[in-house]
């Protein structure tokens, strides 16, 4: 059973370009979470999605960032007009649900975004 | 708002010895979950152990155990018989119970080095 898949693993963009980060959850998981990790910091929650719905985006910057989890295909985190401060590792996690033992989040390997 | 504090940025331990990592948190919730995640140099986030706040018994997983003190809002991780493969960043994390809140709140981490 494949784990959480993220691609690309490394992404380099110039200031002003767009970055698209993809996440395929574990088989059977319909809950997806995105986190950002700045150097020497812990992970910070960005957004929580279920299929076709954004449940909680309280950690998402108001501008330039968006996320989706379509009925078919991976979840996408999109960053428009990237700036140097967006350079970070972006992790995706998935879970079966949010209650009891179903809330265990399994993490992908992360995408390291570098903005030149 | 919930916060998680790890007061030890770095720690080291000799192989086969025991080490304890500290974590405190602040919340007004009565029901919640607490987790310890390990992040080795590969940057993959790996769940080490979890604790439900309503359970008085401390969780254990092989060489890993926790000391959960709900009144003091303390959740320390003890690693027994330390192995070289335990070298990693360790993050303490909090999750509210139920509702639509599925996101993890992480501390800044403790860098653990196991020395031969």
């Amino acid at each position: 059973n494949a784990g959480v898949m993220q691609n690309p693993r490394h992404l380099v963009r110039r200031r002003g370009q767009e970055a698209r980060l993809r996440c395929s959850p574990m088989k059977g998981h319909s809950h997806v979470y995105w986190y950002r990790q700045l150097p020497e910091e812990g992970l910070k929650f960005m957004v929580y999605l279920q299929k076709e719905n954004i449940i909680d985006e309280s950690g998402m910057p108001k501008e330039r960032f968006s996320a989706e989890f379509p009925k078919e295909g991976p979840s996408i985190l999109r960053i428009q007009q990237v700036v140097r401060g967006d350079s970070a590792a972006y992790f995706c996690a998935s879970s079966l649900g949010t209650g009891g033992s179903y809330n265990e989040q399994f993490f992908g390997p992360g995408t390291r975004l570098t903005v030149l | 708002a919930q916060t998680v504090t790890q007061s030890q940025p770095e720690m080291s331990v000799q192989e086969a010895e025991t080490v304890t990592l500290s974590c405190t948190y602040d919340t007004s919730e009565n029901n919640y979950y607490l987790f310890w995640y390990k992040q080795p140099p590969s940057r993959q986030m790996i769940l080490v152990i979890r604790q439900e706040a309503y359970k008085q018994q401390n969780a254990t997983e092989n060489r890993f155990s926790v000391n959960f003190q709900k009144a003091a809002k303390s959740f320390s991780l003890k690693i027994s018989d330390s192995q070289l493969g335990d070298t990693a960043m360790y993050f303490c994390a909090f999750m509210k119970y139920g509702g639509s809140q599925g996101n993890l709140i992480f501390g800044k981490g403790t860098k653990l080095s196991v020395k031969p």
Side-chain angles (χ1 to χ4, degrees):
Chain A
N1 190 9
V4 178
M5 310 287 284
Q6 287 189 252
N7 66 81
R9 294 291 307 276
H10 299 275
L11 182 61
V12 179
R13 286 286 178 266
R14 297 192 180 279
R15 281 180 297 169
Q17 291 184 318
E18 178 179 287
R20 279 184 181 242
L21 288 62
R22 293 175 187 76
C23 169
S24 296
M26 283 182 71
K27 188 175 180 180
H29 287 193
S30 60
H31 298 249
V32 166
Y33 312 82
W34 285 93
Y35 295 85
R36 176 164 64 176
Q37 185 178 31
L38 295 170
E40 311 301 323
E41 295 280 327
L43 279 69
K44 292 281 195 319
F45 167 76
M46 299 181 74
V47 62
Y48 161 36
L49 310 103
Q50 290 183 41
K51 282 287 187 182
E52 300 184 274
N53 290 302
I54 295 175
I55 307 301
D56 179 2
E57 56 182 346
S58 58
M60 194 90 104
K62 293 286 185 275
E63 296 178 352
R64 302 188 298 109
F65 285 73
S66 63
E68 62 177 8
F69 188 17
K71 188 176 180 181
E72 302 290 338
S75 175
I76 306 285
L77 179 67
R78 182 182 177 205
I79 311 172
Q80 295 178 290
Q81 299 172 6
V82 296
V83 301
R84 288 216 174 105
D86 297 332
S87 294
Y90 291 82
F91 288 90
C92 168
S94 73
S95 71
L96 274 171
T98 58
S101 60
Y102 297 124
N103 66 6
E104 180 176 342
Q105 293 185 19
F106 295 82
F107 282 81
T111 293
R112 185 181 292 276
L113 172 65
T114 301
V115 180
L116 302 176
Chain B
Q2 290 78 25
T3 59
V4 177
T5 302
Q6 294 179 248
S7 59
Q8 306 151 314
E10 292 192 42
M11 293 192 72
S12 65
V13 63
Q14 291 296 131
E15 197 175 6
E17 299 286 305
T18 295
V19 64
T20 298
L21 309 183
S22 301
C23 173
T24 57
Y25 57 95
D26 188 24
T27 184
S28 58
E29 302 287 329
N30 191 46
N31 291 321
Y32 48 86
Y33 302 90
L34 294 163
F35 305 83
W36 278 96
Y37 279 86
K38 168 184 176 181
Q39 187 178 44
S42 67
R43 301 191 69 84
Q44 176 76 52
M45 294 290 286
I46 301 164
L47 178 64
V48 175
I49 200 165
R50 60 180 279 155
Q51 174 83 41
E52 289 87 344
Y54 64 87
K55 288 187 178 178
Q56 292 189 345
Q57 186 173 7
N58 289 323
T60 62
E61 284 289 339
N62 301 313
R63 297 183 296 107
F64 299 87
S65 62
V66 297
N67 183 4
F68 173 48
Q69 302 288 329
K70 191 173 183 180
K73 295 180 182 173
S74 170
F75 183 61
S76 60
L77 175 70
K78 185 170 86 170
I79 306 174
S80 305
D81 185 26
S82 298
Q83 300 175 0
L84 296 177
D86 296 333
T87 292
M89 285 290 291
Y90 285 82
F91 293 99
C92 178
F94 171 99
M95 180 192 290
K96 282 176 65 173
Y97 178 88
S100 63
Q101 293 283 329
N103 54 293
L104 290 160
I105 299 167
F106 287 89
K108 290 194 172 185
T110 296
K111 185 177 183 179
L112 176 67
S113 299
V114 179
K115 301 187 184 306

